[in-house]
Amino acid sequence: MSEATTHINRVLINAPVETVWNTLVKTDEALPFFFGSVCETKDGMREGASYRMVSANRKVAMVVGEVLRFEPPHVYAHSFTMTNIDEPPVTVTYTLAEKEGGTEFELRIDDMVPGSKLAKEMISAQGFIAGNLKALCETGRPAFTGRMVGLLGPIFARFAKKSQAVENWPL
């Protein structure tokens, strides 16, 4: 059996830490850096809260988990399970640090099973997330890739498994 692994991605965002934080933890709109999904919680963002990432039309739950740490405006960590992949959850931690020139954004993924489908998905998504968060915070618009996902998201949602229906993943 292979040991779980960690993968880290860092990027400097030319924006104040409060701007990056407030963009990262929004729960009232589709987030282009999270593939056009909306973060839903029952009682707001706080440690111990359940959350789910749902399609913009709120019919498909793509990710579910629990908020593990919530320390505004510097640390947000949560468990992460993709509803279409039957594998153990990983832990995702976002850390923001004020640096000269802006905010260092670190996206850390822990507890990945090496070579698993979830690990491959997570590692490949890190650059997309960081690049689109950076673009959105610096310019007010996501990068081209985020805009394309926003346009294609409704089409992708039509191909979701029936088991991913939001009613199957209550908060």
Side-chain angles (χ1 to χ4, degrees):
M1 178 181 245
S2 300
E3 289 188 29
T5 62
T6 296
H7 199 271
I8 298 173
N9 182 291
R10 287 185 191 93
V11 64
L12 183 65
I13 300 175
N14 185 16
V17 70
E18 293 82 9
T19 298
V20 179
W21 178 263
N22 291 333
T23 304
L24 179 66
V25 300
K26 282 186 180 181
T27 58
D28 57 350
E29 64 185 67
L31 302 171
F33 51 90
F34 287 145
F35 300 90
S37 62
V38 178
C39 181
E40 292 185 334
T41 66
K42 192 173 192 175
D43 300 316
M45 295 293 270
R46 60 173 174 69
E47 194 171 307
S50 295
Y51 81 93
R52 64 185 177 193
M53 301 300 287
V54 300
S55 58
N57 67 8
R58 299 184 188 243
K59 292 183 178 183
V60 178
M62 292 148 327
V63 173
V64 295
E66 179 183 335
V67 177
L68 304 172
R69 283 178 68 192
F70 197 75
E71 301 168 13
H74 298 286
V75 181
Y76 167 35
H78 57 81
S79 61
F80 183 103
T81 301
M82 291 184 77
T83 60
N84 66 333
I85 299 175
D86 186 22
E87 293 181 9
V90 298
T91 300
V92 177
T93 304
Y94 310 96
T95 304
L96 306 180
E98 294 177 84
K99 299 283 184 180
E100 187 167 330
T103 302
E104 181 181 73
F105 169 75
E106 178 183 285
L107 170 51
R108 177 186 178 112
I109 305 167
D110 290 298
D111 308 320
M112 291 186 294
V113 176
S116 69
K117 185 173 183 179
L118 182 57
K120 291 175 187 172
E121 293 280 335
M122 296 296 294
I123 291 169
S124 69
Q126 280 184 312
F128 177 92
I129 293 167
N132 278 281
L133 179 63
K134 177 179 173 64
L136 189 60
C137 291
E138 291 179 354
T139 70
R141 292 183 64 187
F144 176 77
T145 55
R147 294 194 305 271
M148 289 300 100
V149 166
L151 291 172
L152 297 173
I155 296 167
F156 294 144
R158 291 183 155 187
F159 295 102
K161 297 176 181 178
K162 290 183 185 199
S163 64
Q164 291 179 273
V166 76
E167 57 269 11
N168 296 326
W169 302 93
L171 289 171

